[in-house]
Amino acid sequence: MINSQHQRQMTTSTKPQEPILHHQTDLIYGLHDKPQLREALFAALQHLLAIFVAIITPPLIISNALSFDLHTTGFLVSMSLFVSGVATFIQCHRIGPIGTGLLCIQGTSFSFIGPIIGAGMLGMIGGKIDTELALAYIFTACMFASVVEMFVSRILKYTQKIITPLVSGIVVTLIGMSLIKAGINACGGGAAAEANGTFGSLMNLGLAALVLFAIIFFNRSSNKILRMSSIVLGLAIGCVVAYFLDMIPLDATQDYGGFNIPIPFKYGFRFDISAIISLGLVYLITAIEAYGDITANSLISGEPIQGRTFEKRAAGGILADGFNSMVAAIFNSFPNSIFAQNNGMIQLTGIASRYVGYYIAGALILLGLFPAVGIVFSLIPAPVLGGATLLMFGTVAAAGIKIIAATKINRKAVLVMAISFSLGLSVEMVPDILNQMPETIRNIFSSGITTGGLAAILTNSLIHIKD
């Protein structure tokens, strides 16, 4: 844990004249220490509990929104686990210039869900989503757009002048607000409930509410284990109740055996410039968020947060963020980002050793290779998932508001927020407003995240007011 009164110490680097900022810590194991096997496994298990649900939830939400079948959903969940393991290893080990070399965990990102669903809708044929076509559009766009984040890693100091905390806060808030729509849709029962006429039934809404209140109950606990496991426990309670309500079709699949073999480009290629632009903007914001997460991780780990060592580490981490998302698209998974919640886990365990990351990566890769893991979690009913994600998405929006609140709210900031939120939420609430636009324009600006995010960047750069 970090001493609240940070002390600045001048240390010697390869260039004696370069000052580097370090911090005193109460760590049991530092970055380069090798914990005993038992302690390493225990720390890795706690990290897994903190990230597991967050990794599998985005593919579940996307699959639910695009009405993918059970086997496709299970495969996407498995690939998300597999790629998160690969990405975590790259971040922790650092391969050449790629990676932080910190205990830095990566997983499937919530930030991309809205644009991904939009890209998947391009696979609509005759009023029905063609699964392979939708996924071809999604993964092609994710792969090409990832270049944005890799490019940002090379010009990091310049992008920070454009993507200010105000802009980041607006975009993060819009991500949360836009995703709430997907969360509440799942609470009502999702696409399956809409098809059979049970959408918004008392049973669906009651089950979602049960999960929501269970998570809140455990999250308020003073017991750290219960608090960290609140989402897992809430989902477990929801699934048990759903089973007795005959809402979990255990007979829907009989194939739980074998191995998932990661197949590059399984769904082929489908190029759409509007989908790439929409996702590219989110990659831009993700790069700046990753910088903050890497700074926090370095601070907690007692490593430099200034100087060339840190700059190299931050650039490598953001480069890995984009590179790992490209790898994810190649292996049929969704974009990855650094998980901030694991920084708190380092504080709780007192273990910052990057070697723990190897155990986490290995566990995620193994879990992703077994189809049973993906299939079991794809059986989670939409209302159960909705009850959990509704709270998660609200938390994302609240995090964005917190970022905004930490900035100076002057006349310019008010104008930037007013324009960005108005335009972003308008296309989410009244999507038909774009019906008369050319198809490319309609596809680009149909996402409130893209519309509001671009508005935030432009207005923040162009509006100048002397207070």
Side-chain angles (χ1 to χ4, degrees):
M1 297 184 187
I2 305 235
N3 192 319
S4 59
Q5 299 298 322
H6 302 299
Q7 293 187 344
R8 299 192 175 192
Q9 299 178 334
M10 306 298 285
T11 62
T12 304
S13 66
T14 54
K15 292 191 176 183
Q17 71 274 19
E18 181 192 1
I20 301 179
L21 185 63
H22 282 274
H23 293 268
Q24 285 187 337
T25 70
D26 293 326
L27 292 173
I28 301 170
Y29 291 101
L31 179 63
H32 302 292
D33 296 332
K34 291 185 177 181
Q36 295 180 5
L37 179 62
R38 183 178 64 179
E39 293 172 314
L41 290 175
F42 181 70
L45 177 61
Q46 292 189 81
H47 279 282
L48 284 170
L49 283 174
I51 63 174
F52 189 83
V53 172
I55 291 173
I56 67 170
T57 300
L60 291 175
I61 295 168
I62 293 165
S63 297
N64 179 65
L66 297 175
S67 303
F68 293 156
D69 60 55
L70 187 65
H71 283 282
T72 300
T73 303
F75 178 75
L76 294 176
V77 169
S78 291
M79 289 302 99
S80 293
L81 292 167
F82 173 80
V83 171
S84 293
V86 174
T88 296
F89 177 81
I90 291 172
Q91 282 286 15
C92 295
H93 186 69
R94 187 176 175 89
I95 300 174
I98 306 174
T100 60
L102 297 167
L103 176 51
C104 200
I105 314 302
Q106 280 209 235
T108 321
S109 174
F110 281 88
S111 301
F112 295 85
I113 292 175
I116 284 174
I117 292 173
M121 296 301 289
L122 295 170
M124 182 81 72
I125 299 178
K128 186 178 179 181
I129 297 288
D130 182 292
T131 299
E132 291 200 6
L133 187 59
L135 289 171
Y137 274 118
I138 288 170
F139 294 136
T140 302
C142 289
M143 183 175 66
F144 280 98
S146 66
V147 174
V148 172
E149 189 166 9
M150 288 187 273
F151 178 71
V152 169
S153 73
R154 305 298 91 185
I155 57 167
L156 186 59
K157 61 181 178 181
Y158 301 109
T159 57
Q160 290 176 321
K161 297 176 182 179
I162 301 171
I163 311 298
T164 64
L166 176 64
V167 172
S168 297
I170 290 171
V171 174
V172 172
T173 303
L174 282 169
I175 288 171
M177 289 181 172
S178 299
L179 290 176
I180 285 172
K181 180 180 179 181
I184 198 65
N185 183 68
C187 289
E194 289 178 345
N196 62 29
T198 62
F199 186 81
S201 68
L202 185 60
M203 183 168 67
N204 287 341
L205 294 179
L207 186 58
L210 172 66
V211 174
L212 176 63
F213 289 124
I215 292 172
I216 293 172
F217 174 79
F218 289 116
N219 194 262
R220 291 179 65 252
S221 173
S222 57
N223 185 299
K224 291 180 181 178
I225 301 299
L226 290 178
R227 184 179 176 184
M228 287 188 294
S229 308
S230 59
I231 295 175
V232 176
L233 292 171
L235 287 172
I237 291 171
C239 286
V240 169
V241 174
Y243 173 77
F244 286 107
L245 293 174
D246 294 324
M247 294 177 69
I248 298 182
L250 292 177
D251 58 345
T253 178
Q254 302 299 321
D255 183 16
Y256 284 83
F259 292 93
N260 272 324
I261 306 300
I263 304 172
F265 308 114
K266 179 179 180 179
Y267 299 99
F269 293 91
R270 285 283 177 168
F271 188 87
D272 184 82
I273 188 63
S274 60
I276 293 172
I277 292 173
S278 296
L279 285 159
L281 176 65
V282 184
Y283 275 115
L284 181 63
I285 302 301
T286 300
I288 305 303
E289 291 180 345
Y291 181 85
D293 291 333
I294 294 166
T295 303
N297 194 309
S298 297
L299 182 71
I300 293 166
S301 302
E303 292 297 304
I305 57 171
Q306 286 183 356
R308 293 188 181 181
T309 299
F310 171 72
E311 289 171 4
K312 183 178 178 181
R313 181 168 280 155
I318 295 170
L319 178 61
D321 225 39
F323 176 78
N324 289 335
S325 290
M326 178 181 283
V327 171
I330 291 171
F331 286 100
N332 316 294
S333 186
F334 305 112
N336 269 233
S337 64
I338 296 171
F339 276 0
Q341 59 263 47
N342 293 89
N343 292 338
M345 202 60 62
I346 293 173
Q347 286 185 296
L348 287 171
T349 61
I351 298 176
S353 171
R354 64 193 179 94
Y355 295 99
V356 172
Y358 300 164
Y359 292 99
I360 298 168
L364 290 171
I365 290 171
L366 284 175
L367 288 170
L369 293 177
F370 292 96
V373 176
I375 292 174
V376 166
F377 284 98
S378 64
L379 290 171
I380 297 175
V384 174
L385 189 64
T389 56
L390 195 63
L391 185 62
M392 290 182 191
F393 298 154
T395 303
V396 172
I401 294 170
K402 187 176 180 180
I403 295 171
I404 294 171
T407 65
K408 183 181 179 181
I409 309 297
N410 52 21
R411 282 196 296 155
K412 174 183 173 177
V414 170
L415 282 174
V416 172
M417 286 189 291
I419 296 169
S420 304
F421 286 131
S422 295
L423 295 178
L425 294 177
S426 291
V427 297
E428 288 288 340
M429 294 188 288
V430 190
D432 292 345
I433 195 68
L434 299 172
N435 282 353
Q436 303 302 316
M437 295 291 109
E439 184 178 1
T440 301
I441 298 296
R442 189 166 63 247
N443 290 338
I444 292 172
F445 292 101
S446 61
S447 166
I449 300 167
T450 306
T451 303
L454 287 173
I457 292 171
L458 291 174
T459 53
N460 189 56
S461 300
L462 298 176
I463 294 176
H464 300 283
I465 299 175
K466 291 184 179 181
D467 285 324

